[in-house]
Amino acid sequence: MSDLLELVVSATASGSIYALVALAYLLILRPTSIINFAVGEWAATGAFVGVAAQTTLAWPALDGPYWLAVIAVLVCLGALGWLVEALTVRPLIARGANITSPILALLGVLVIFRESLTMLFGADPLPSPPPFGFKRVAFGLFAGVPQQFLIITVTFVLFAAVWLFFERTVWGRAFEAVALNRRAAALMGINLRRVTTFAFVSGAMVAGLAGLLMSPLTSAHYMMGLPLAIQGFTALVIGGVGRVEGALLGGLVLAFVEQLGARYLPIPSGLTLGFPFVLLILFLFLRPSGLMPPREAR
Amino acid sequence: MRLLRDALIWFAAIAAASALAFWLGGYATDVYRKMLIWVALALSYNFLFGIAGQVAFSHFAFAGVGAYAIVIFAHQLGLPFGLAFILALALSAALAFVVALPSTRLEGFYLALATLAFSQLVLVVISEGGDLTGGTGGIANYRLPHVFDVTISGPWYTVVLVLLVASTLWMLRRLDRSAFGRACRAIRDNAVAAAAMGIDVRRIKVLAFTLTSTLAGLAGIAYAYIDNVINPPVFGLENIFLLLFMIIVGGAGSHIGAIIGAVFLYLAPFVLEPIVGHGFMVVFGVLVVLTILFQPSGLAGLVNRWPARRAT
């Protein structure tokens, strides 16, 4: 029983990370229809920026506290997201290029980010200091390392905030309007260019945060991006691309299937690596709208 | 007259590419052979991605299916080589068809994700196949058997690869200029309009996917006998990105572009690595972004600046 409860904590924590990456996809996909595969690398970048800000890696004088790492990640990733949007996506949209053009260009960006990280930080994994140590803590029946509880708390708070943003603010409504109908939204006076920029900046920030949060558990490694990109996307497809809550639900479902399967199913552990792909294929073919179908326009 | 001239050009090109095999030696032969495999894969992937407009990430997975199938059939199970060859090709084709049926219903980039999931599954299966697939270490220590008492070895195997590239190119060019090729381009540019003109969109999409993926399987079969070693990482995601980049940089939709792109990006690391180390992948990424932004028709588009003989 305690085994299962521990698994619940660890699956919820991994699910939260998948959900954050799925949210990063969603923030960009909804208003622009662009699937940005580079979000995985942005998460890896967030992990490395966090390590650099907290350890004496980059600037010996600077050995910053955790809050500084959080700010560094948000500022750096926001700037990088803006830069990528301005340099690659904006000119293509302005030219009226086919939607696959920016998607393919972002695959090029993915490779640029990953190889730059390798060159800057080396190919070995870098340990990332956990802000609250490694000492096990227990909340009632649930026990785990503090970082897991931090991940879960931050993710749920962030999802609540993003949900409120979309439901309650004018900006959020503008986002939704663009997602439902770009042309009509533009005619209603919504600045499409600004919405696209905002989508990439916020998407990069959320992805970076996901990388920063998970790095104490996995270390910062240049190969962490692509698996995250695939898991995040799988979470998004499971939950449904239309709703913010879908990303959270999809991330949790994916993580629970992965971890429960690996723990209790009598198959070789290597084969359990295939679970996310089977789920992705099943949902794409059988239920492309995901568990939470998009709402109709109101 | 035209026919004769074309035949002469083909013959001269094949002879020159084959002669190179006898002139090169050692490490250069290995590089040349792998380059020929890349060119063969780039040609079929260009038809799928550049001409039929399907962004699929399963091309290397099908090469892997072909390579593993021939080695398992011919060497692990000991079937006669001819039979093993036909079975390996048939397995690639059948699997491609099964994947194509549901996948081609998916719109745009969702096809990429479904085929990416499929190719990752293939990797999981061959890595976990136990003794049959050799697990993560792969299979080694087998030799191309005699076919009709003929042993093909040394530069003659390189000639086989040249013929593979030539026949792939010849077939895909024929297809491209047929009604099938025009239907593929029409669907790529506007599927709704193509359907309105009476093109059976589903059928053409499934056919294009199955055919090009089977060609990938064939290239995989040829690859299995280059080093007489196969292992899972070769058929992973890294290489499919590189293949996609070759097509984009070379010029999507152009056969000559696929060849230029494959040769250029395959050989570039040999020049770049001493200068920038592993950073050549950054250079490739930048190259892809710049190509999409400023030269969407790729390197082939630069070549074709002078009077176009044929409208594409």
Side-chain angles (χ1 to χ4, degrees):
Chain A
M1 191 60 195
S2 71
D3 185 45
L4 181 68
L5 288 174
E6 196 149 320
L7 196 141
V8 167
V9 173
S10 106
T12 311
S14 329
S16 299
I17 297 294
Y18 300 163
L20 286 178
V21 180
L23 180 62
Y25 273 115
L26 186 95
L27 286 169
I28 297 168
L29 180 64
R30 283 288 279 163
T32 64
S33 308
I34 293 170
I35 296 173
N36 176 16
F37 235 57
V39 289
E41 304 310 318
W42 286 351
T45 309
F48 278 107
V49 170
V51 171
Q54 287 176 88
T55 60
T56 50
L57 194 71
W59 307 277
L62 203 99
D63 189 355
Y66 194 67
W67 60 264
L68 191 72
V70 176
I71 292 175
V73 166
L74 291 178
V75 170
C76 286
L77 268 294
L80 287 170
W82 176 80
L83 203 65
V84 167
E85 194 272 331
L87 290 181
T88 63
V89 177
R90 198 179 300 166
L92 287 171
I93 291 182
R95 194 209 292 162
N98 190 305
I99 194 70
T100 45
S101 296
I103 294 175
L104 294 173
L106 286 165
L107 288 182
V109 169
L110 180 162
V111 169
I112 295 173
F113 266 83
R114 187 178 63 191
E115 300 303 326
S116 304
L117 286 178
T118 323
M119 291 204 295
L120 284 173
F121 296 100
D124 297 322
L126 293 179
S128 171
F132 299 109
F134 277 119
K135 205 162 162 289
R136 271 173 61 90
V137 288
F139 292 98
L141 286 170
F142 299 100
V145 288
Q147 188 65 25
Q148 289 173 325
F149 291 109
L150 178 68
I151 289 172
I152 297 168
T153 314
V154 170
T155 303
F156 278 77
V157 169
L158 190 66
F159 264 90
V162 173
W163 185 83
L164 281 175
F165 170 77
F166 278 113
E167 293 292 320
R168 296 280 181 271
T169 66
V170 176
W171 263 89
R173 304 312 297 167
F175 245 66
E176 277 301 289
V178 175
L180 290 169
N181 190 332
R182 269 184 90 81
R183 245 180 84 77
L187 290 174
M188 301 306 283
I190 294 171
N191 186 335
L192 287 184
R193 224 186 72 184
R194 206 175 290 166
V195 169
T196 307
T197 306
F198 186 79
F200 272 82
V201 170
S202 58
M205 283 176 160
V206 171
L209 202 58
L212 174 70
L213 282 171
M214 82 177 278
S215 62
L217 300 177
T218 61
S219 340
H221 191 248
Y222 80 104
M223 285 304 283
M224 71 195 279
L226 205 53
L228 264 183
I230 296 174
Q231 282 155 331
F233 193 81
T234 309
L236 187 64
V237 171
I238 293 173
V241 294
R243 305 249 300 259
V244 173
E245 314 90 283
L248 184 56
L249 180 69
L252 293 174
V253 167
L254 175 62
F256 271 90
V257 169
E258 265 184 346
Q259 301 209 1
L260 287 173
R263 181 75 187 78
Y264 295 107
L265 280 186
I267 55 171
S269 62
L271 281 183
T272 58
L273 294 176
F275 282 176
F277 310 121
V278 174
L279 271 180
L280 178 55
I281 289 174
L282 285 179
F283 270 90
L284 279 176
F285 290 164
L286 303 177
R287 198 175 166 81
S289 60
L291 292 173
M292 283 196 164
R295 256 171 297 183
E296 297 301 313
R298 277 174 297 173
Chain B
M1 212 41 222
R2 177 87 195 268
L3 205 66
L4 186 70
R5 203 197 63 187
D6 278 2
L8 274 176
I9 290 176
W10 278 95
F11 182 76
I14 292 171
S18 303
L20 200 55
F22 291 89
W23 178 66
L24 294 169
Y27 180 57
T29 303
D30 194 53
V31 170
Y32 184 48
R33 285 174 168 186
K34 282 178 185 151
M35 189 187 86
L36 288 171
I37 295 287
W38 275 104
V39 171
L41 285 170
L43 281 168
S44 50
Y45 193 60
N46 173 55
F47 198 96
L48 181 61
F49 163 68
I51 293 173
Q54 299 182 29
V55 190
F57 282 169
S58 50
H59 217 60
F60 264 93
F62 285 110
V65 168
Y68 268 86
I70 188 78
V71 174
I72 288 172
F73 287 142
H75 305 283
Q76 307 283 78
L77 302 178
L79 298 179
F81 186 74
L83 180 65
F85 179 81
I86 291 167
L87 281 179
L89 206 57
L91 182 71
S92 309
L95 202 57
F97 182 69
V98 169
V99 172
L101 273 185
S103 306
T104 46
R105 274 188 3 228
L106 299 172
E107 299 266 320
F109 207 69
Y110 288 87
L111 170 72
L113 296 156
T115 47
L116 185 147
F118 166 75
S119 61
Q120 292 297 90
L121 272 181
V122 168
L123 272 190
V124 169
V125 169
I126 59 179
S127 304
E128 293 298 317
D131 287 341
L132 193 65
T133 62
T136 45
I139 312 174
N141 293 323
Y142 54 86
R143 287 269 169 280
L144 188 65
H146 313 275
V147 185
F148 304 120
D149 282 337
V150 181
T151 319
I152 298 173
S153 63
W156 289 106
Y157 191 67
T158 314
V159 175
V160 170
L161 297 178
V162 169
L163 291 176
L164 169 79
V165 170
S167 52
T168 305
L169 175 62
W170 183 79
M171 195 181 111
L172 291 175
R173 263 170 56 113
R174 285 290 300 259
L175 273 178
D176 186 19
R177 290 170 182 189
S178 69
F180 175 71
R182 283 191 295 277
C184 282
R185 285 176 190 268
I187 292 169
R188 174 195 66 188
D189 294 338
N190 189 340
V192 178
M197 288 190 297
I199 294 171
D200 187 343
V201 173
R202 273 301 302 289
R203 195 164 147 264
I204 298 285
K205 275 186 173 179
V206 170
L207 266 177
F209 186 95
T210 309
L211 186 90
T212 52
S213 300
T214 310
L215 284 175
L218 184 65
I221 293 175
Y223 170 81
Y225 294 100
I226 288 185
D227 290 334
N228 292 323
V229 173
I230 46 170
N231 46 30
V234 179
F235 307 109
L237 276 184
E238 300 303 313
N239 280 339
I240 192 67
F241 277 178
L242 190 52
L243 190 63
L244 184 68
F245 290 178
M246 287 171 172
I247 305 297
I248 292 172
V249 172
S254 149
H255 300 291
I256 198 76
I259 299 174
I260 295 174
V263 171
F264 180 57
L265 288 202
Y266 179 74
L267 293 181
F270 294 97
V271 182
L272 286 173
E273 197 141 28
I275 308 168
V276 292
H278 198 63
F280 66 82
M281 277 306 281
V282 178
V283 178
F284 284 5
V286 172
L287 208 56
V288 166
V289 174
L290 291 180
T291 306
I292 294 174
L293 281 175
F294 300 112
Q295 179 62 26
S297 55
L299 292 171
L302 294 175
V303 179
N304 283 346
R305 278 285 164 77
W306 57 78
R309 270 181 298 177
R310 184 172 67 89
T312 40

